[in-house]
Coordinates of all heavy atoms in Angstrom, one line a residue:
Chain A
D139 N 97.8 -21.7 82.1 CA 98.5 -22.5 83.0 C 100.0 -22.2 82.9 O 100.5 -21.7 81.9 CB 98.2 -24.0 82.7 CG 96.8 -24.4 82.9 OD1 96.1 -23.7 83.8 OD2 96.3 -25.3 82.2
V140 N 100.7 -22.6 84.0 CA 102.1 -22.3 84.0 C 102.8 -23.5 84.6 O 102.4 -24.2 85.5 CB 102.4 -21.0 84.8 CG1 102.0 -21.1 86.2 CG2 103.9 -20.7 84.7
M141 N 104.0 -23.8 84.0 CA 104.9 -24.9 84.5 C 106.2 -24.2 84.9 O 106.8 -23.5 84.2 CB 105.2 -25.9 83.4 CG 106.3 -26.9 83.8 SD 105.8 -28.5 83.4 CE 107.1 -29.4 84.3
I142 N 106.5 -24.4 86.2 CA 107.7 -23.8 86.8 C 108.8 -24.8 87.0 O 108.7 -25.7 87.8 CB 107.3 -23.1 88.1 CG1 106.2 -22.1 87.9 CG2 108.5 -22.4 88.7 CD1 105.6 -21.5 89.2
F143 N 109.9 -24.6 86.3 CA 111.1 -25.5 86.5 C 112.0 -25.0 87.5 O 112.8 -25.7 88.1 CB 111.9 -25.6 85.2 CG 111.1 -26.2 84.0 CD1 110.8 -25.4 82.9 CD2 110.6 -27.5 84.0 CE1 110.1 -25.9 81.9 CE2 109.9 -28.0 83.0 CZ 109.6 -27.2 81.9
S144 N 111.9 -23.7 87.8 CA 112.8 -23.0 88.7 C 112.9 -23.7 90.0 O 111.8 -24.1 90.6 CB 112.4 -21.6 89.0 OG 112.0 -20.9 87.8
D145 N 114.1 -23.9 90.6 CA 114.1 -24.3 92.0 C 114.4 -23.1 92.9 O 114.5 -22.0 92.4 CB 115.1 -25.5 92.2 CG 116.5 -25.2 91.5 OD1 116.7 -24.0 91.3 OD2 117.2 -26.1 91.3
N146 N 114.4 -23.4 94.2 CA 114.6 -22.3 95.2 C 113.6 -21.3 95.1 O 113.8 -20.1 95.4 CB 116.0 -21.7 95.0 CG 117.1 -22.7 95.3 OD1 117.2 -23.4 96.3 ND2 118.0 -22.9 94.3
V147 N 112.3 -21.7 94.9 CA 111.2 -20.7 95.0 C 110.7 -20.8 96.4 O 110.4 -21.9 96.9 CB 110.0 -21.1 94.0 CG1 108.8 -20.2 94.2 CG2 110.5 -21.1 92.6
P148 N 110.6 -19.6 97.1 CA 110.1 -19.7 98.5 C 108.8 -20.3 98.6 O 107.9 -20.0 97.8 CB 110.1 -18.2 98.9 CG 111.1 -17.5 97.9 CD 111.0 -18.3 96.6
V149 N 108.6 -21.1 99.7 CA 107.3 -21.9 99.8 C 106.1 -20.9 99.9 O 105.0 -21.2 99.4 CB 107.4 -22.9 100.9 CG1 107.5 -22.2 102.3 CG2 106.3 -23.9 100.9
E150 N 106.3 -19.8 100.6 CA 105.1 -18.9 100.7 C 104.7 -18.3 99.4 O 103.6 -18.0 99.1 CB 105.4 -17.8 101.8 CG 106.5 -16.8 101.5 CD 107.9 -17.3 101.8 OE1 108.0 -18.5 102.2 OE2 108.9 -16.6 101.8
Q151 N 105.7 -18.1 98.5 CA 105.4 -17.6 97.1 C 104.7 -18.7 96.3 O 103.7 -18.4 95.6 CB 106.6 -17.2 96.4 CG 107.3 -15.9 97.0 CD 108.4 -15.4 96.2 OE1 108.6 -15.8 95.1 NE2 109.1 -14.4 96.7
E152 N 105.1 -20.0 96.5 CA 104.4 -21.1 95.9 C 102.9 -21.1 96.3 O 102.0 -21.2 95.5 CB 105.1 -22.4 96.2 CG 104.4 -23.6 95.6 CD 105.2 -24.9 95.8 OE1 106.4 -24.9 96.2 OE2 104.5 -26.0 95.7
L153 N 102.7 -21.0 97.6 CA 101.4 -21.0 98.1 C 100.5 -19.9 97.6 O 99.4 -20.1 97.1 CB 101.4 -20.9 99.7 CG 100.1 -20.9 100.4 CD1 99.3 -22.2 100.1 CD2 100.2 -20.6 101.9
A154 N 101.1 -18.7 97.5 CA 100.4 -17.5 97.1 C 99.9 -17.7 95.6 O 98.8 -17.5 95.3 CB 101.2 -16.2 97.2
M155 N 100.8 -18.1 94.8 CA 100.4 -18.2 93.4 C 99.5 -19.4 93.1 O 98.6 -19.3 92.3 CB 101.6 -18.3 92.4 CG 102.6 -19.4 92.6 SD 104.0 -19.2 91.3 CE 105.4 -19.4 92.4
K156 N 99.6 -20.5 93.9 CA 98.7 -21.6 93.7 C 97.3 -21.3 94.2 O 96.3 -21.7 93.6 CB 99.3 -22.9 94.4 CG 100.4 -23.5 93.7 CD 100.9 -24.8 94.3 CE 101.9 -25.5 93.3 NZ 102.4 -26.7 93.9
Q157 N 97.2 -20.5 95.3 CA 95.9 -20.0 95.7 C 95.2 -19.2 94.6 O 94.0 -19.4 94.4 CB 96.0 -19.2 97.0 CG 96.2 -20.1 98.2 CD 96.5 -19.3 99.5 OE1 97.1 -18.2 99.4 NE2 96.3 -19.9 100.6
I158 N 96.0 -18.3 94.1 CA 95.4 -17.4 93.0 C 95.0 -18.3 91.8 O 93.9 -18.1 91.3 CB 96.4 -16.3 92.6 CG1 96.5 -15.3 93.7 CG2 95.9 -15.6 91.3 CD1 97.6 -14.3 93.5
A159 N 95.8 -19.2 91.4 CA 95.5 -20.1 90.3 C 94.3 -20.9 90.6 O 93.4 -21.0 89.7 CB 96.7 -21.0 90.0
R160 N 94.1 -21.4 91.8 CA 93.0 -22.3 92.1 C 91.7 -21.4 92.0 O 90.7 -21.9 91.4 CB 93.2 -22.8 93.5 CG 92.0 -23.7 94.0 CD 92.2 -25.1 93.5 NE 91.1 -26.0 94.0 CZ 90.6 -27.0 93.3 NH1 91.0 -27.3 92.1 NH2 89.7 -27.8 93.8
E161 N 91.7 -20.2 92.5 CA 90.6 -19.3 92.4 C 90.1 -19.1 90.9 O 89.0 -18.9 90.6 CB 90.8 -17.9 93.0 CG 90.8 -17.9 94.5 CD 91.4 -16.6 95.0 OE1 91.6 -15.6 94.3 OE2 91.9 -16.6 96.2
R162 N 91.1 -19.1 90.0 CA 90.9 -18.8 88.6 C 90.7 -20.1 87.8 O 90.7 -20.0 86.6 CB 92.0 -17.9 88.1 CG 92.1 -16.6 88.8 CD 93.2 -15.7 88.2 NE 93.4 -14.5 89.0 CZ 94.5 -13.7 88.9 NH1 95.4 -14.0 87.9 NH2 94.6 -12.7 89.6
G163 N 90.8 -21.2 88.4 CA 90.6 -22.5 87.7 C 91.9 -22.8 86.8 O 91.8 -23.5 85.8
L164 N 93.0 -22.3 87.2 CA 94.2 -22.5 86.4 C 95.2 -23.4 87.2 O 95.1 -23.6 88.4 CB 94.9 -21.2 86.2 CG 94.1 -20.2 85.3 CD1 94.8 -18.8 85.2 CD2 94.0 -20.7 83.9
L165 N 96.1 -24.0 86.5 CA 97.0 -25.0 87.1 C 98.4 -24.5 87.1 O 98.9 -24.0 86.1 CB 97.0 -26.3 86.2 CG 97.9 -27.4 86.7 CD1 97.5 -27.9 88.1 CD2 97.8 -28.6 85.7
V166 N 99.0 -24.5 88.3 CA 100.5 -24.3 88.5 C 101.2 -25.6 88.6 O 101.0 -26.3 89.5 CB 100.8 -23.4 89.7 CG1 102.3 -23.3 89.9 CG2 100.1 -22.0 89.6
M167 N 102.0 -25.9 87.6 CA 102.8 -27.1 87.6 C 104.2 -26.8 88.2 O 104.8 -25.8 87.7 CB 102.9 -27.8 86.2 CG 101.5 -28.3 85.8 SD 101.6 -29.2 84.2 CE 101.4 -27.8 83.0
G168 N 104.7 -27.5 89.1 CA 105.9 -27.1 89.8 C 105.6 -26.2 90.9 O 104.5 -26.0 91.3
P169 N 106.6 -25.5 91.5 CA 108.1 -25.7 91.2 C 108.6 -26.9 91.8 O 107.9 -27.6 92.6 CB 108.7 -24.4 91.8 CG 107.7 -24.1 93.0 CD 106.4 -24.5 92.5
D170 N 109.9 -27.2 91.5 CA 110.6 -28.4 92.1 C 109.9 -29.7 91.7 O 109.7 -30.5 92.5 CB 110.6 -28.2 93.6 CG 111.6 -29.2 94.2 OD1 112.5 -29.7 93.5 OD2 111.3 -29.6 95.4
C171 N 109.5 -29.8 90.4 CA 109.1 -31.0 89.9 C 109.0 -30.7 88.4 O 108.0 -30.2 87.9 CB 107.7 -31.5 90.3 SG 107.0 -32.7 89.2
G172 N 110.1 -31.0 87.7 CA 110.2 -30.5 86.3 C 109.8 -31.5 85.3 O 110.4 -31.7 84.3
T173 N 108.6 -32.2 85.5 CA 108.2 -33.2 84.6 C 106.7 -33.1 84.3 O 105.9 -33.0 85.2 CB 108.4 -34.6 85.2 OG1 109.9 -34.8 85.3 CG2 107.9 -35.7 84.3
A174 N 106.4 -33.1 83.0 CA 105.0 -33.1 82.6 C 104.9 -33.6 81.2 O 105.8 -33.4 80.4 CB 104.3 -31.7 82.7
V175 N 103.8 -34.2 80.9 CA 103.4 -34.6 79.5 C 102.0 -34.1 79.3 O 101.1 -34.5 80.0 CB 103.5 -36.1 79.3 CG1 103.1 -36.5 77.8 CG2 104.9 -36.7 79.6
V176 N 101.9 -33.2 78.3 CA 100.6 -32.7 78.0 C 100.3 -32.9 76.5 O 101.0 -32.5 75.6 CB 100.5 -31.1 78.3 CG1 99.2 -30.6 77.8 CG2 100.8 -30.8 79.7
G177 N 99.2 -33.7 76.3 CA 98.9 -34.0 74.9 C 100.0 -34.6 74.1 O 100.2 -34.3 73.0
G178 N 100.9 -35.4 74.8 CA 102.0 -36.0 74.1 C 103.2 -35.2 74.0 O 104.3 -35.7 73.6
V179 N 103.1 -34.0 74.5 CA 104.3 -33.1 74.5 C 105.0 -33.1 75.8 O 104.3 -32.9 76.9 CB 103.9 -31.6 74.1 CG1 105.1 -30.7 74.2 CG2 103.2 -31.6 72.8
G180 N 106.2 -33.5 75.8 CA 107.0 -33.6 77.1 C 107.5 -32.2 77.5 O 108.0 -31.5 76.6
L181 N 107.3 -31.8 78.7 CA 107.8 -30.5 79.2 C 108.8 -30.8 80.3 O 108.6 -31.6 81.2 CB 106.6 -29.8 79.8 CG 105.4 -29.6 78.9 CD1 104.2 -29.0 79.7 CD2 105.8 -28.7 77.7
G182 N 109.9 -30.1 80.2 CA 111.0 -30.2 81.2 C 111.6 -31.6 81.0 O 111.9 -32.1 79.9
F183 N 111.9 -32.3 82.1 CA 112.4 -33.6 82.0 C 111.2 -34.6 81.8 O 110.5 -34.9 82.8 CB 113.1 -34.0 83.3 CG 114.3 -33.1 83.6 CD1 114.3 -32.3 84.8 CD2 115.4 -33.0 82.8 CE1 115.4 -31.4 85.0 CE2 116.5 -32.2 83.0 CZ 116.5 -31.4 84.2
A184 N 111.1 -35.1 80.6 CA 109.9 -36.0 80.4 C 110.2 -37.0 79.3 O 111.0 -36.8 78.4 CB 108.7 -35.1 79.9
N185 N 109.6 -38.2 79.5 CA 109.8 -39.3 78.6 C 108.8 -39.2 77.4 O 107.7 -38.7 77.5 CB 109.7 -40.6 79.3 CG 110.6 -40.6 80.5 OD1 110.3 -40.3 81.6 ND2 111.9 -41.0 80.2
T186 N 109.2 -39.8 76.3 CA 108.3 -39.9 75.2 C 107.4 -41.1 75.4 O 107.9 -42.3 75.6 CB 109.1 -40.1 73.9 OG1 110.1 -39.1 73.8 CG2 108.3 -40.0 72.6
V187 N 106.1 -40.9 75.4 CA 105.2 -42.0 75.7 C 104.1 -42.0 74.6 O 103.8 -41.0 74.0 CB 104.6 -41.9 77.1 CG1 105.6 -42.2 78.1 CG2 103.9 -40.6 77.3
A188 N 103.5 -43.2 74.4 CA 102.4 -43.3 73.5 C 101.1 -42.7 74.2 O 101.0 -42.8 75.4 CB 102.1 -44.7 73.1
P189 N 100.2 -42.1 73.4 CA 99.0 -41.6 74.0 C 98.2 -42.8 74.5 O 98.3 -43.9 74.0 CB 98.2 -40.9 72.8 CG 98.9 -41.4 71.6 CD 100.3 -41.8 71.9
G190 N 97.4 -42.6 75.6 CA 96.6 -43.7 76.1 C 95.7 -43.2 77.2 O 95.3 -42.1 77.2
R191 N 95.3 -44.2 78.1 CA 94.2 -43.9 78.9 C 94.5 -43.6 80.4 O 93.6 -43.4 81.2 CB 93.2 -45.1 78.9 CG 93.9 -46.5 79.1 CD 93.0 -47.6 78.8 NE 93.7 -48.9 78.8 CZ 93.2 -50.0 79.3 NH1 92.1 -50.0 79.9 NH2 93.9 -51.1 79.2
V192 N 95.8 -43.5 80.7 CA 96.2 -43.2 82.1 C 96.5 -41.7 82.2 O 97.2 -41.2 81.4 CB 97.4 -44.1 82.5 CG1 98.0 -43.7 83.8 CG2 97.1 -45.6 82.5
G193 N 96.1 -41.2 83.3 CA 96.5 -39.8 83.7 C 97.3 -39.8 84.9 O 97.0 -40.6 85.8
I194 N 98.4 -39.1 85.0 CA 99.2 -39.1 86.1 C 99.3 -37.7 86.8 O 99.3 -36.7 86.0 CB 100.7 -39.5 85.7 CG1 100.7 -40.9 85.1 CG2 101.6 -39.4 86.9 CD1 102.0 -41.3 84.5
V195 N 99.2 -37.6 88.1 CA 99.4 -36.4 88.8 C 100.7 -36.6 89.6 O 100.7 -37.6 90.4 CB 98.3 -36.0 89.8 CG1 98.6 -34.8 90.5 CG2 96.9 -35.9 89.0
A196 N 101.7 -35.8 89.4 CA 103.0 -36.1 90.0 C 103.5 -35.0 90.9 O 103.7 -33.9 90.4 CB 104.0 -36.5 89.0
A197 N 103.7 -35.2 92.2 CA 104.4 -34.3 93.0 C 105.9 -34.7 93.1 O 106.5 -34.5 94.1 CB 103.8 -34.3 94.4
S198 N 106.3 -35.4 92.1 CA 107.7 -35.9 92.0 C 108.0 -36.1 90.6 O 107.3 -36.8 89.9 CB 107.7 -37.3 92.8 OG 108.6 -38.2 92.2
G199 N 109.1 -35.5 90.2 CA 109.5 -35.6 88.8 C 110.0 -37.0 88.4 O 109.4 -37.6 87.5
T200 N 111.0 -37.4 89.1 CA 111.6 -38.7 88.6 C 110.7 -39.9 89.0 O 110.7 -40.9 88.4 CB 113.0 -39.0 89.2 OG1 113.0 -38.7 90.6 CG2 114.0 -38.0 88.5
G201 N 109.8 -39.7 90.0 CA 108.8 -40.7 90.4 C 107.8 -40.8 89.2 O 107.5 -42.0 88.8
C202 N 107.4 -39.7 88.7 CA 106.6 -39.7 87.5 C 107.2 -40.4 86.3 O 106.6 -41.3 85.6 CB 106.2 -38.3 87.1 SG 105.2 -38.1 85.7
Q203 N 108.5 -40.1 86.1 CA 109.3 -40.8 85.0 C 109.3 -42.3 85.2 O 109.3 -43.0 84.3 CB 110.6 -40.1 84.9 CG 110.5 -38.7 84.4 CD 111.9 -38.1 84.0 OE1 112.6 -37.5 84.8 NE2 112.2 -38.2 82.7
Q204 N 109.5 -42.7 86.5 CA 109.5 -44.2 86.7 C 108.2 -44.8 86.3 O 108.2 -45.9 85.6 CB 109.8 -44.4 88.2 CG 109.6 -45.9 88.6 CD 110.8 -46.7 88.2 OE1 111.8 -46.8 88.9 NE2 110.7 -47.4 87.0
V205 N 107.1 -44.2 86.7 CA 105.8 -44.7 86.3 C 105.6 -44.7 84.8 O 105.1 -45.7 84.2 CB 104.7 -44.0 87.1 CG1 103.3 -44.5 86.6 CG2 104.8 -44.1 88.6
L206 N 106.0 -43.6 84.1 CA 105.9 -43.6 82.7 C 106.7 -44.7 82.0 O 106.2 -45.3 81.1 CB 106.5 -42.2 82.2 CG 105.6 -40.9 82.5 CD1 106.5 -39.7 82.1 CD2 104.3 -41.0 81.7
A207 N 107.9 -44.9 82.6 CA 108.8 -45.9 82.0 C 108.2 -47.3 82.1 O 108.2 -48.1 81.2 CB 110.2 -45.9 82.6
L208 N 107.7 -47.6 83.3 CA 107.1 -48.9 83.5 C 105.8 -49.1 82.7 O 105.6 -50.2 82.1 CB 106.8 -49.1 85.0 CG 108.0 -49.2 85.9 CD1 107.6 -49.2 87.4 CD2 108.9 -50.4 85.6
L209 N 105.0 -48.1 82.6 CA 103.7 -48.2 81.8 C 104.1 -48.5 80.4 O 103.5 -49.3 79.7 CB 102.9 -47.0 82.0 CG 102.2 -46.8 83.3 CD1 101.5 -45.4 83.3 CD2 101.2 -47.9 83.6
D210 N 105.1 -47.7 79.9 CA 105.6 -47.9 78.5 C 106.0 -49.4 78.3 O 105.7 -50.0 77.2 CB 106.7 -46.9 78.2 CG 107.1 -46.9 76.7 OD1 106.3 -46.4 75.9 OD2 108.2 -47.5 76.4
A211 N 106.8 -49.9 79.2 CA 107.3 -51.3 79.1 C 106.1 -52.3 79.1 O 106.2 -53.3 78.5 CB 108.3 -51.6 80.2
A212 N 105.0 -51.9 79.8 CA 103.9 -52.8 79.8 C 102.9 -52.5 78.6 O 101.9 -53.1 78.6 CB 103.1 -52.5 81.1
G213 N 103.3 -51.6 77.8 CA 102.5 -51.3 76.6 C 101.3 -50.5 76.9 O 100.3 -50.5 76.1
V214 N 101.3 -49.7 77.9 CA 100.2 -48.9 78.3 C 100.5 -47.4 78.0 O 101.6 -46.9 78.4 CB 99.8 -49.0 79.8 CG1 98.7 -48.0 80.2 CG2 99.3 -50.4 80.0
G215 N 99.6 -46.7 77.3 CA 99.8 -45.3 76.9 C 99.3 -44.3 78.0 O 98.6 -44.7 78.9
V216 N 99.8 -43.1 77.9 CA 99.4 -42.1 78.9 C 98.8 -40.9 78.2 O 99.3 -40.3 77.2 CB 100.7 -41.6 79.6 CG1 100.5 -40.4 80.5 CG2 101.3 -42.8 80.4
A217 N 97.6 -40.4 78.8 CA 96.9 -39.3 78.2 C 97.7 -38.0 78.6 O 97.8 -37.1 77.8 CB 95.5 -39.2 78.8
A218 N 98.1 -37.9 79.8 CA 98.8 -36.7 80.3 C 99.4 -37.0 81.7 O 98.9 -37.9 82.4 CB 97.8 -35.6 80.5
A219 N 100.5 -36.4 81.9 CA 101.2 -36.4 83.2 C 101.4 -35.0 83.7 O 102.0 -34.2 83.0 CB 102.5 -37.1 83.2
L220 N 100.7 -34.6 84.8 CA 100.8 -33.3 85.3 C 101.6 -33.2 86.5 O 101.2 -33.7 87.6 CB 99.3 -32.8 85.5 CG 98.3 -32.9 84.4 CD1 97.0 -32.4 84.8 CD2 98.8 -32.2 83.1
G221 N 102.8 -32.5 86.4 CA 103.6 -32.3 87.6 C 103.1 -31.2 88.4 O 102.7 -30.2 87.9
V222 N 103.0 -31.4 89.7 CA 102.4 -30.4 90.5 C 103.3 -29.7 91.5 O 103.0 -28.8 92.3 CB 101.1 -30.9 91.3 CG1 100.0 -31.3 90.3 CG2 101.5 -32.1 92.1
G223 N 104.6 -30.2 91.5 CA 105.6 -29.6 92.4 C 105.8 -30.5 93.6 O 104.9 -31.1 94.2
G224 N 107.1 -30.7 93.9 CA 107.5 -31.6 95.0 C 106.9 -31.3 96.3 O 106.9 -32.1 97.2
R225 N 106.5 -30.0 96.6 CA 105.9 -29.7 97.9 C 104.4 -29.6 97.9 O 103.8 -29.2 98.8 CB 106.5 -28.3 98.3 CG 108.0 -28.2 98.5 CD 108.4 -26.9 99.0 NE 108.2 -25.8 98.0 CZ 109.0 -24.8 97.8 NH1 110.2 -24.7 98.4 NH2 108.7 -23.9 96.9
D226 N 103.8 -30.0 96.8 CA 102.4 -29.8 96.7 C 101.6 -30.5 97.8 O 100.6 -30.0 98.3 CB 101.8 -30.1 95.3 CG 100.5 -29.5 95.0 OD1 100.4 -28.2 95.0 OD2 99.5 -30.2 95.0
L227 N 102.1 -31.7 98.1 CA 101.3 -32.5 99.1 C 101.9 -32.2 100.5 O 101.7 -33.0 101.5 CB 101.3 -34.0 98.8 CG 100.5 -34.3 97.5 CD1 100.6 -35.8 97.2 CD2 99.0 -33.9 97.7
S228 N 102.7 -31.2 100.7 CA 103.2 -30.8 102.0 C 102.1 -30.1 102.8 O 101.1 -29.6 102.2 CB 104.5 -29.9 101.9 OG 104.1 -28.6 101.4
A229 N 102.3 -29.9 104.1 CA 101.3 -29.2 104.9 C 101.2 -27.8 104.5 O 100.1 -27.2 104.5 CB 101.7 -29.3 106.4
A230 N 102.3 -27.2 104.0 CA 102.3 -25.8 103.7 C 101.5 -25.5 102.5 O 100.8 -24.5 102.4 CB 103.8 -25.3 103.4
I231 N 101.5 -26.4 101.5 CA 100.7 -26.1 100.2 C 99.4 -26.8 100.3 O 98.4 -26.3 99.7 CB 101.6 -26.6 99.0 CG1 103.0 -25.9 99.0 CG2 100.8 -26.3 97.7 CD1 103.0 -24.4 98.9
G232 N 99.3 -28.0 100.9 CA 98.0 -28.6 101.1 C 97.4 -29.2 99.8 O 96.2 -29.4 99.7
G233 N 98.2 -29.5 98.8 CA 97.7 -30.2 97.7 C 96.8 -29.4 96.7 O 95.9 -29.9 96.0
I234 N 97.1 -28.1 96.7 CA 96.2 -27.2 95.8 C 96.3 -27.6 94.4 O 95.2 -27.8 93.7 CB 96.7 -25.7 96.0 CG1 96.5 -25.3 97.5 CG2 95.8 -24.8 95.1 CD1 97.0 -23.9 97.7
S235 N 97.5 -27.7 93.8 CA 97.6 -28.1 92.4 C 97.2 -29.5 92.1 O 96.7 -29.8 91.1 CB 99.0 -27.8 91.9 OG 99.3 -26.5 91.7

Side-chain angles (χ1 to χ4, degrees):
Chain A
D139 296 329
V140 59
M141 169 134 190
I142 302 169
F143 302 112
S144 315
D145 47 20
N146 297 307
V147 176
V149 68
E150 64 278 8
Q151 292 189 9
E152 178 177 343
L153 178 64
M155 62 181 133
K156 284 184 168 177
Q157 281 172 335
I158 290 169
R160 182 79 178 148
E161 281 164 22
R162 299 179 188 171
L164 297 172
L165 179 62
V166 174
M167 293 184 273
D170 190 26
C171 162
T173 296
V175 179
V176 176
V179 178
L181 305 172
F183 299 118
N185 304 93
T186 309
V187 291
R191 50 190 170 137
V192 173
I194 301 175
V195 179
S198 146
T200 48
C202 179
Q203 291 190 271
Q204 172 76 86
V205 174
L206 288 171
L208 295 173
L209 289 175
D210 185 74
V214 172
V216 172
L220 306 178
V222 292
R225 294 184 297 221
D226 199 66
L227 293 177
S228 70
I231 306 297
I234 299 175
S235 284

